Amino acid sequence: DAGVTQSPTHLIKTRGQQVTLRCSPKSGHDTVSWYQQALGQGPQFIFQYYEEEERQRGNFPDRFSGHQFPNYSSELNVNALLLGDSALYLCASSSGQGANIQYFGAGTRLSVL
Amino acid sequence: AQSVTQPDIHITVSEGASLELRCNYSYGATPYLFWYVQSPGQGLQLLLKYFSGDTLVQGIKGFEAEFKRSQSSFNLRKPSVHWSDAAEYFCAATFSGGYQKVTFGTGTKLQVIP
């Protein structure tokens, strides 16, 4: 049973560019959440997708957008990259029903130069 | 405001010694509570969770945590630490239950010395 998988593992971009990160949820899960973890910090909630719609959003600018596909996989898009967007981006999946136990992938390390 | 606080940024313990990592939350009701562990370059692994019922919960890798409503705390414990336990530990909470976001503390980095 595959867990949460994210791609790519590492990514290097320059300021102003756009990036797309991908996530496949754990088998049987239909909800995907994205988090940003800056160096030395705890993860910060970006947004959550359920039934292909954004269900809740954290305090992140509109440069951060996402999408969920019919197979429950998800993408995180960041436009107009800033140096401060350098971080580990974590995807978590859960079941839309019942208690909210989220299972995390290994993350994508984004470096903005 | 709803928040999770981990007052210890860094803790060093000797192998075989006991461990307690502190966690407090700020909320008007009882949230769902979690402890996650993160090894270098890795994602987050769920150690244990508390939703309701017995206030002492058992997790994986020999960890346990105790929920104390009166202190708004959810401290993580292990009776005997192994070198492989060296990692960063995050306390987290879901404040409204259901589908809500998970709020994390800033983490406690655990160093284990021989």
Side-chain angles (χ1 to χ4, degrees):
Chain A
D1 176 25
V4 179
T5 58
Q6 293 186 241
S7 63
T9 306
H10 296 86
L11 206 50
I12 299 175
K13 293 286 188 178
T14 57
R15 280 179 299 174
Q17 285 189 311
Q18 178 264 344
V19 69
T20 298
L21 311 181
R22 296 176 175 82
C23 173
S24 293
K26 184 178 170 66
S27 178
H29 286 180
D30 55 11
T31 302
V32 173
S33 302
W34 287 92
Y35 294 80
Q36 180 195 66
Q37 186 179 17
L39 200 60
Q41 301 295 317
Q44 298 291 315
F45 176 77
I46 303 175
F47 42 55
Q48 183 179 87
Y49 277 83
Y50 173 68
E51 290 189 341
E52 302 180 48
E53 292 193 359
E54 184 182 288
R55 181 156 67 178
Q56 190 178 11
R57 188 179 183 92
N59 189 26
F60 279 80
D62 292 344
R63 298 187 297 110
F64 290 77
S65 63
H67 187 76
Q68 185 178 34
F69 299 93
N71 67 352
Y72 308 120
S73 67
S74 177
E75 290 182 348
L76 164 65
N77 301 291
V78 187
N79 294 323
L81 284 167
L82 304 173
L83 295 179
D85 295 330
S86 296
L88 180 67
Y89 288 85
L90 295 164
C91 170
S93 75
S94 56
S95 171
Q97 302 300 318
N100 192 13
I101 303 173
Q102 297 192 4
Y103 295 87
F104 285 79
T108 294
R109 173 72 64 186
L110 173 65
S111 298
V112 182
L113 306 179
Chain B
Q2 302 161 351
S3 64
V4 176
T5 301
Q6 293 180 250
D8 303 307
I9 296 173
H10 189 274
I11 283 183
T12 300
V13 300
S14 299
E15 191 169 13
S18 64
L19 171 71
E20 181 168 24
L21 302 182
R22 296 182 292 165
C23 173
N24 293 94
Y25 64 89
S26 175
Y27 186 52
T30 299
Y32 293 163
L33 294 161
F34 310 87
W35 275 98
Y36 285 88
V37 61
Q38 186 176 38
S39 298
Q42 301 297 311
L44 298 165
Q45 182 181 22
L46 180 66
L47 286 176
L48 46 77
K49 62 189 182 295
Y50 173 77
F51 292 156
S52 64
D54 192 347
T55 57
L56 185 63
V57 294
Q58 302 297 319
I60 61 172
K61 303 184 179 187
F63 285 93
E64 66 178 25
E66 184 172 14
F67 170 65
K68 292 185 178 181
R69 186 189 310 273
S70 61
Q71 299 177 18
S72 297
S73 68
F74 188 56
N75 293 349
L76 182 71
R77 300 194 296 244
K78 187 170 185 178
S80 178
V81 170
H82 187 262
W83 64 267
S84 61
D85 293 324
E88 188 148 25
Y89 292 80
F90 291 94
C91 182
T94 300
F95 288 107
S96 301
Y99 321 122
Q100 301 302 314
K101 67 179 182 180
V102 178
T103 298
F104 287 85
T106 51
T108 298
K109 184 166 289 187
L110 174 65
Q111 181 181 10
V112 181
I113 57 176

